[in-house]
Amino acid sequence: MGKTRNFFHLHMVSDSTGETLMTVARAATAQYEDVQAIEHVYPLVRSTRQLDHALDEIEHAPGIILYTLVDPELAGRLEQAARAAGVPCVNILSPVFAVFQSYLNVRLTGRIGGQHALDADYFHRIEALNFTMLHDDGQIPDNLDEADVVLLGVSRTSKTPTCIYLANRGIKAANIPIVPDIPLPRQLGELRRAMVVAVVASVERIQQVRQNRILTLNAGGFENETYVDRRVIAREIAVTRKICAEHGWPLIDVTRRSIEETAAEIMSLYRAHKSALANGGAA
């Protein structure tokens, strides 16, 4: 028998997109076994009317309230309503603001959605995302050296979502599939700036993901039988390891890694790669 899950209502009230709240809430919830949050997200709450809508929902389904509201009047109303309902209410950025203000001795500006400003960093991320989408799955190999990272790997090792995550961090990432008996683009041997890294997973993991993919597509046939054959997958993995050993490219095992963890490892490698280039070392 499966364990019984305990459900609770989790209300997230934000004057911006709510992404910060959701990230913090899910990171916290993940630390508790057999607990599942029923999420209620209220983004772009910037008026009394919008806050009233959130308060009505909270009244009908009481639970923990997390919020990021810059407007002190709206924050005060939310706190007051929480006290009246007898539910916890936390401004998740308040302790961070306090530390910054104390250490830096600067005044809080109270900019709503400041992290989403249309500044140079924002447009750099958009440029990286456009590049990544154009260079997905081995497309347009001619200008690979314009990439920051070139990600290699066999089918179903999460190359595309990893590259998209990197692009959202401002890193131009191209990905190229590794297929035995099909040579890699010659441009890989001509790179001077881009960093090449490969990903690999266990036979069991790749087989499972590929089987799920086939079921999703409702596809069958001999070609798909080969696609999920353990011996074929094992050969693909062996080829990947051999290629990386021959070229000295780093190899990351993503069997038990999330996309975020894989991307974090790649970003760490890329920082070292950039530092080596800046110091005139080998790329």
Side-chain angles (χ1 to χ4, degrees):
M1 293 179 60
K3 294 182 179 179
T4 302
R5 279 188 174 271
N6 297 311
F7 292 88
F8 70 99
H9 292 281
L10 178 58
H11 299 273
M12 293 171 273
V13 186
S14 173
D15 50 23
S16 187
T17 63
E19 292 176 25
T20 301
L21 284 172
M22 287 187 283
T23 300
V24 172
R26 289 170 184 175
T29 304
Q31 301 305 312
Y32 299 91
E33 289 188 20
D34 309 321
V35 172
Q36 180 69 50
I38 301 172
E39 296 181 351
H40 307 264
V41 185
Y42 314 95
L44 303 175
V45 175
R46 300 177 182 179
S47 69
T48 300
R49 181 178 59 82
Q50 291 166 324
L51 180 60
D52 286 341
H53 169 70
L55 293 178
D56 286 341
E57 294 285 332
I58 293 169
E59 183 179 355
H60 285 93
I64 296 173
I65 302 170
L66 303 180
Y67 75 90
T68 51
L69 295 174
V70 171
D71 188 316
E73 183 178 342
L74 294 179
R77 284 196 62 215
L78 182 60
E79 292 270 6
Q80 184 179 7
R83 284 193 297 270
V87 295
C89 184
V90 181
N91 178 351
I92 65 164
L93 290 179
S94 183
V96 181
F97 288 155
V99 170
F100 272 56
Q101 202 161 342
S102 172
Y103 186 79
L104 300 174
N105 193 29
V106 292
R107 185 175 64 86
L108 182 68
T109 59
R111 273 200 309 155
I112 294 175
Q115 73 272 37
H116 302 296
L118 300 181
D119 55 12
D121 286 341
Y122 173 83
F123 290 107
H124 180 67
R125 291 195 300 273
I126 295 300
E127 180 185 0
L129 186 58
N130 287 335
F131 181 92
T132 295
M133 298 307 294
L134 287 172
H135 293 78
D136 183 42
D137 204 29
Q139 299 181 79
I140 318 179
D142 291 339
N143 60 344
L144 274 182
D145 208 28
E146 292 181 17
D148 298 314
V149 171
V150 179
L151 185 61
L152 309 180
V154 302
S155 173
R156 302 294 115 187
T157 47
S158 300
K159 297 187 299 299
T160 295
T162 300
C163 285
I164 291 174
Y165 188 95
L166 291 170
N168 279 310
R169 296 299 183 274
I171 295 176
K172 293 181 180 179
N175 79 78
I176 297 173
I178 291 178
V179 181
D181 303 322
I182 296 180
L184 291 169
R186 59 169 178 76
Q187 290 86 352
L188 281 174
E190 303 168 357
L191 299 182
R192 295 293 177 267
R193 174 184 173 277
M195 181 190 77
V196 180
V197 60
V199 288
V200 73
S202 68
V203 173
E204 293 76 14
R205 176 60 178 165
I206 294 174
Q207 184 184 45
Q208 179 187 39
V209 175
R210 290 183 180 183
Q211 286 174 335
N212 291 337
R213 175 67 171 171
I214 289 173
L215 288 173
T216 300
L217 297 175
N218 195 26
F222 174 76
E223 183 177 332
N224 285 314
E225 288 180 11
T226 303
Y227 185 59
V228 298
D229 186 280
R230 292 175 61 87
R231 290 170 299 180
V232 173
I233 296 171
R235 180 174 177 243
E236 293 177 3
I237 293 171
V239 168
T240 301
R241 293 187 181 280
K242 181 181 179 183
I243 289 173
C244 289
E246 288 175 349
H247 293 84
W249 293 331
L251 179 65
I252 301 173
D253 189 328
V254 300
T255 303
R256 299 186 181 278
R257 290 178 187 254
S258 65
I259 299 297
E260 294 84 354
E261 289 170 326
T262 302
E265 177 68 17
I266 292 172
M267 286 188 284
S268 177
L269 290 169
Y270 179 61
R271 283 192 293 270
H273 175 80
K274 278 208 308 182
S275 177
L277 289 179
N279 294 325

